[in-house]
Amino acid sequence: MLPLVLPHCTLLLACVLWLSHCLGLLCLHPPASHSLLQESQQSSADFRIYIENHTRNPDDLSRKQVRIYQLYSRTTGKHVQIMGKKINANGDDGGKYALLVVETETFGSHIRIKGKESEHYICMTEKGKIVGRVSECVFVEEFLENNYTALVSAKYKGWYLGFNRKGRPKKGPQTTQKQQEAHFMKRQPKGWVDPLEEFRFTTVTKRTRRARRLKSNAKRN
C-alpha cells in the first residue's frame, strides 16, 4: 500500500490553489458590511452635493428669514455702516446707516447684508476691496468661540470682512479668521424691539393660579 503522504512540493501547490479559490470567491461575493459601507459613503456624498448645490442656487423659500440688527466691530467699538458705495465701522449705536437688513438662507450660513437706509449690499471685489453695491453679494457666517462672528466671502474663499482701528475696510487677502479686525457681534439698536422677541413667557405664581380658579368657579355658579 502506498503511503498517503504527499511530497512537499505537491502539498505547497495544493495550498496555493486553495487560497486562490478562496480569494476568487471573496472577489465575486464581497462581505455585506463592505457593501453597506459603500452605500453609506455614497448617500453621504449625495447629501453633501445636494446641500452645496442648494446653497449655491437657493430658491425663494430659502431666503424668507430677514432680520434687522447692527454689527459691532471688535476693533473700533463702533458699528458697521453702509453709506452707499462707502462702508466703514464708525457707525453710532442706532445710527440710520448702521441698521442692517440681513437675509439668511435656510441651508448653511449664507447671508446677504444690506443697509436699511442706503439699500446697498456689502460686497467684495475680485481684488478683495469692500464696497457697497445695489446687486447682492453672499457671505458665510462663522461662529467663533469668543461669541463673535466672522464673515467670509462665499465667492473668494478665505477672504474675510474686516476693518482696521480707524474703521476703514481691509482688503480680503490681508484678513484671517483669527484677526480681531474680522470679529463682529450682532446687536440690537437702542429702543429697537425685535418682532421675534416680543412674546415672552409669563411667570405663573400661586396667586394667579388661585385667581384663575376663583374666576372659573364664579362662571360656573
Side-chain angles (χ1 to χ4, degrees):
M1 181 181 295
L2 295 175
L4 297 177
V5 179
L6 297 175
H8 292 291
C9 59
T10 306
L11 181 61
L12 180 61
L13 180 59
C15 292
V16 170
L17 292 176
W18 181 78
L19 288 174
S20 300
H21 176 71
C22 292
L23 290 175
L25 290 177
L26 288 174
C27 293
L28 291 176
H29 305 285
S33 60
H34 180 67
S35 177
L36 292 175
L37 179 61
Q38 286 183 334
E39 292 179 1
S40 176
Q41 292 175 347
Q42 182 65 30
S43 60
S44 299
D46 293 342
F47 182 74
R48 184 169 60 253
I49 293 173
Y50 169 76
I51 294 297
E52 292 177 354
N53 292 337
H54 196 90
T55 52
R56 192 179 297 113
N57 301 307
D59 53 28
D60 294 335
L61 294 177
S62 298
R63 295 175 52 188
K64 289 299 182 182
Q65 186 176 2
V66 178
R67 302 290 296 273
I68 298 178
Y69 54 76
Q70 300 176 129
L71 279 179
Y72 173 83
S73 173
R74 187 176 184 182
T75 52
T76 65
K78 297 277 188 174
H79 299 85
V80 177
Q81 58 181 1
I82 306 175
M83 308 173 67
K85 296 181 180 180
K86 294 183 179 180
I87 300 174
N88 59 53
N90 295 321
D92 295 327
D93 187 9
K96 62 179 182 179
Y97 292 106
L99 292 179
L100 307 178
V101 180
V102 183
E103 303 171 359
T104 307
E105 296 178 4
T106 304
F107 286 89
S109 301
H110 290 59
I111 64 172
R112 296 163 177 81
I113 306 172
K114 180 177 67 173
K116 189 176 185 298
E117 180 70 20
S118 64
E119 296 187 350
H120 279 63
Y121 288 88
I122 298 179
C123 292
M124 185 178 291
T125 66
E126 58 184 4
K127 294 183 179 180
K129 186 178 180 180
I130 301 298
V131 297
R133 289 179 177 174
V134 179
S135 57
E136 59 188 26
C137 297
V138 182
F139 286 85
V140 180
E141 280 186 303
E142 294 181 355
F143 301 98
L144 309 179
E145 295 180 356
N146 54 10
N147 295 327
Y148 282 91
T149 300
L151 300 171
V152 62
S153 172
K155 186 175 182 180
Y156 306 106
K157 303 297 183 183
W159 291 5
Y160 288 81
L161 176 68
F163 298 89
N164 59 23
R165 293 183 179 180
K166 294 183 178 181
R168 298 173 183 173
K170 296 186 66 175
K171 290 187 176 181
Q174 300 174 354
T175 60
T176 63
Q177 188 198 67
K178 295 183 179 180
Q179 294 176 348
Q180 292 188 3
E181 291 88 342
H183 295 180
F184 304 94
M185 186 176 292
K186 302 174 185 178
R187 280 186 172 181
Q188 296 293 338
K190 290 182 179 180
W192 182 272
V193 179
D194 191 339
L196 297 179
E197 297 180 356
E198 287 183 350
F199 302 97
R200 300 180 181 274
F201 291 102
T202 303
T203 304
V204 180
T205 62
K206 294 182 178 179
R207 183 176 181 180
T208 56
R209 291 196 191 99
R210 183 172 178 273
R212 290 177 181 176
R213 186 168 61 253
L214 293 176
K215 188 176 181 180
S216 61
N217 293 334
K219 288 183 178 180
R220 292 175 184 176
N221 297 332

